[in-house]
Amino acid sequence: MTRREPRSADLLFPYLTADELIGNPASQPSRFVIDLQPRDIFQAGSYDKAMNHIRTTVLPAREKAASEELERNKGLPADSKRKGNKHHANFLKRWWLLSYPRGELIEKLAHLSRYISCGRVTKRPIFEFVSTAIRPNDALMVFPLADDYSFGILQSSLHFGWFKARCSTLKGDFRYTSDSVFDTFPWPQKPTRQQISATAAAAVGLRALRREVMAANAWSLRTLYRSLEEPGDNPLRDAHARLDSAVRAAYGMPEDADPLTFLLEMNLACSAKEKAGEKITQPGMPRLTEAGFVTQDCVRPLLE
């Protein structure tokens, strides 16, 4: 498509799924997506090759789904309180666009070089940085944060413990839900610059170890983390322990404290402050240290 119409590169993006993130070597995406958002029908129509592809492969499916939806709605009893769905009818109105374009998210990512991601449904905590040149599938949770400190907090066992306690499940695996997990997860409220630096350094070290082992063994993240299911010395386990130690210090968490109890008490304290009109430290890098702590490693498209 880009050979025939070079400007199509403006709207063609590598498209990463959760399974590819943890299951493919180097977490490489295997397909592309055409994303014409936010172009209207006239602007989109100027991309002949892309629109012809969508017109022949997407439009018929959209028309069929909208027609079937209309028939289902006609079958509802006249006195039914149900009005029926109009999802596919609305999708047909903008058939050249993705059903859910996630414009707000894409706008946030446009100002970053990378974002943190993990599978929405998972059995173990595996977070990774992904280049913003790659579009995330809906099966991926996306955190528009580019700094190593934030990565360290999210990759820590403290966050995963909260995740398991607050999430829903799907076929026995944990399912990350932003409203019940991320929105309620309290971040360190008064970390020092030294603690932030230590957390970021531990996060960078963990990812460096992962890349080294995966490259040497041609492993995926899934294969690498399965090694933690076996007993014995494991450098990956040690790297996670170093990260957890740095994160606990950033929280000011005593050595003998139960993590979930500590986080719940912090959650309640933060909630009380917000209700009283006081400011709390929000997710991400604290403002006092906005500069720095952003390295460049991430999953990149091979053709970048």
Side-chain angles (χ1 to χ4, degrees), residues 29-264:
S30 61
R31 74 204 83 185
F32 286 79
V33 64
I34 299 173
D35 188 358
L36 282 155
Q37 177 73 18
R39 299 169 180 86
D40 62 26
I41 187 66
F42 301 123
Q43 295 169 323
S46 68
Y47 294 87
D48 292 337
K49 302 303 180 184
M51 281 295 281
N52 285 339
H53 180 76
I54 296 173
R55 191 174 287 111
T56 57
T57 60
V58 176
L59 180 55
R62 289 275 170 92
E63 290 175 326
K64 182 175 184 292
S67 177
E68 293 175 347
E69 180 181 68
L70 179 60
E71 290 302 314
R72 288 194 299 271
N73 291 340
K74 287 180 179 178
L76 293 174
D79 60 347
S80 174
K81 293 183 180 180
R82 294 173 54 198
K83 296 181 180 180
N85 293 321
K86 294 184 179 180
H87 297 307
H88 293 291
N90 290 329
F91 296 157
L92 183 58
K93 290 179 181 178
R94 301 182 304 159
W95 56 268
W96 62 95
L97 300 179
L98 298 175
S99 300
Y100 297 100
R102 310 301 188 199
E104 183 180 357
L105 172 63
I106 298 304
E107 172 62 23
K108 289 182 179 180
L109 297 184
H111 302 286
L112 302 174
S113 62
R114 61 183 185 175
Y115 57 88
I116 303 172
S117 190
C118 72
R120 175 171 285 129
V121 178
T122 184
K123 64 183 295 184
R124 55 176 63 87
I126 305 177
F127 290 76
E128 182 59 286
F129 274 118
V130 179
S131 166
T132 51
I134 297 175
R135 286 285 196 265
N137 174 266
D138 182 60
L140 286 171
M141 290 299 300
V142 173
F143 306 86
L145 301 165
D147 65 278
D148 296 302
Y149 167 75
S150 296
F151 180 95
I153 299 298
L154 292 175
Q155 181 62 88
S156 71
S157 65
L158 276 70
H159 178 244
F160 191 57
W162 187 265
F163 172 11
K164 289 189 294 182
R166 298 283 302 169
C167 72
S168 60
T169 57
L170 183 64
K171 295 182 179 180
D173 287 339
F174 306 113
R175 185 176 184 274
Y176 202 109
T177 45
S178 58
D179 54 350
S180 64
V181 180
F182 186 80
D183 292 350
T184 63
F185 179 67
W187 285 59
Q189 292 300 292
K190 295 182 179 180
T192 65
R193 185 176 181 85
Q194 183 177 3
Q195 291 168 340
I196 291 170
S197 179
T199 299
V204 171
L206 169 64
R207 295 197 309 275
L209 172 66
R210 297 194 316 197
R211 290 195 304 274
E212 178 183 351
V213 176
M214 289 163 63
N217 296 281
W219 283 357
S220 65
L221 280 167
R222 177 184 288 125
T223 303
L224 173 63
Y225 272 80
R226 280 176 177 166
S227 71
L228 294 178
E229 298 172 3
E230 300 175 337
D233 294 338
N234 188 318
L236 179 62
R237 185 178 291 114
D238 296 339
H240 272 280
R242 288 191 291 272
L243 175 61
D244 286 343
S245 178
V247 171
R248 289 178 72 104
Y251 273 97
M253 184 182 296
E255 287 291 331
D256 59 349
D258 175 74
L260 280 179
T261 300
F262 182 92
L263 290 173
L264 177 58

